[in-house]
Amino acid sequence: MKISVSFLSSYDKAKDLRKLNVTDVDYIHVDYMDGRFVPYKSLSFRQLKTIYKYTSKRLDVHLMTRNPEKLIRQFATLNTEFITLHVEIKKDISKLIDLIHSYGIKAGLSLKPDTPIALLEPYLEKIDLILVMSVEPGRGGQEFLENTPSRVLAIKNLLKTYEKSDILLSIDGGINNITKEGVQDLVDIMVSGSYITTGEDFQERIHNLRTH
Ligand code: DX5
Ligand code: ZN
């Protein structure tokens, strides 16, 4: 089980990133929000890119924006393992996936809680990861949606049908030591924000997510 920590709702981002850097966390999850695709705005790329000063972990970038092209080019200049786009955007997603791959970065697609999973089908040949939203994207600290485990199972079945079980599954939103129980055996990566960053001992909380 890999853990990716979101610092979206961290009060002192530099301090939390430094603390996370000495844990065994696998990735730093970077939430970018444009204030249009989701109602809230995150820091700009210019502000976000300064995180390289505080972390040597690889980045797991989650682009909640209608217009990801420029951001893909920008995040490709950082230490990025994954760039994930939303399948709901009205853009040439296939071309954007190619753009991500052209930098040697793994490409993910994310879906909001009410988005039909069939929207993923045209891209299953190309993507490396699916990021299932277990809250409505936009802010941290929300409650985990109870129908998420059955949604993850439906996606797993879809992947089996297409013989694409090698695509990584990740889950994002409301993950803590209790809600993880319904999904930890189903996914490869869990993204967690406030559960980790509101704790005193980050390593202990990361450990709690990894264990059964
Ligand atoms: C929500 C973001 C998440 C969020 C996770 O829009 O995509 O990454 O920050 O934070 P928690 O774990 O607090 O729900
Ligand atoms: Zn996210």
Side-chain angles (χ1 to χ4, degrees), residues 29 31 62 64 172:
H29 182 86
D31 288 300
H62 180 192
M64 289 165 272
D172 184 10

Side-chain angles (χ1 to χ4, degrees), residues 37-172:
F37 180 73
V38 290
Y40 300 93
K41 244 184 152 150
S42 62
L43 300 177
S44 66
F45 176 76
R46 261 177 56 144
Q47 293 164 311
L48 283 170
K49 76 170 183 201
T50 61
I51 66 179
Y52 75 83
K53 294 185 197 158
Y54 313 112
T55 189
S56 55
K57 303 280 182 184
R58 301 219 81 199
L59 307 182
D60 164 31
V61 176
H62 180 192
L63 297 179
M64 289 165 272
T65 171
R66 289 180 184 170
N67 206 353
E69 188 178 330
K70 187 171 170 205
L71 285 147
I72 292 171
R73 296 182 194 283
Q74 290 173 318
F75 276 105
T77 66
L78 305 182
N79 184 21
T80 301
E81 174 93 6
F82 301 102
I83 297 181
T84 296
L85 316 171
H86 268 267
V87 73
E88 300 90 355
I89 60 172
K90 309 268 177 291
K91 293 280 164 190
D92 187 340
I93 289 179
S94 208
K95 234 169 98 183
L96 293 168
I97 293 169
D98 289 344
L99 179 63
I100 297 169
H101 282 155
S102 75
Y103 293 103
I105 294 170
K106 297 186 186 106
L109 277 181
S110 182
L111 13 74
K112 291 184 176 184
D114 294 327
T115 301
I117 63 172
L119 284 195
L120 295 169
E121 283 173 66
Y123 313 108
L124 293 179
E125 275 309 316
K126 289 195 155 187
I127 55 176
D128 306 287
L129 172 134
I130 296 170
L131 178 68
V132 183
M133 291 309 302
S134 37
V135 299
E136 200 56 54
R139 55 199 171 81
Q142 302 182 77
E143 216 166 295
F144 182 81
L145 293 167
E146 290 304 327
N147 68 339
T148 306
S150 64
R151 236 169 115 67
V152 174
L153 278 173
I155 292 171
K156 278 185 103 71
N157 281 331
L158 181 79
L159 296 184
K160 219 179 260 167
T161 311
Y162 280 83
E163 296 181 12
K164 294 301 294 175
S165 301
D166 54 329
I167 295 176
L168 298 170
L169 281 183
S170 179
I171 188 152
D172 184 10

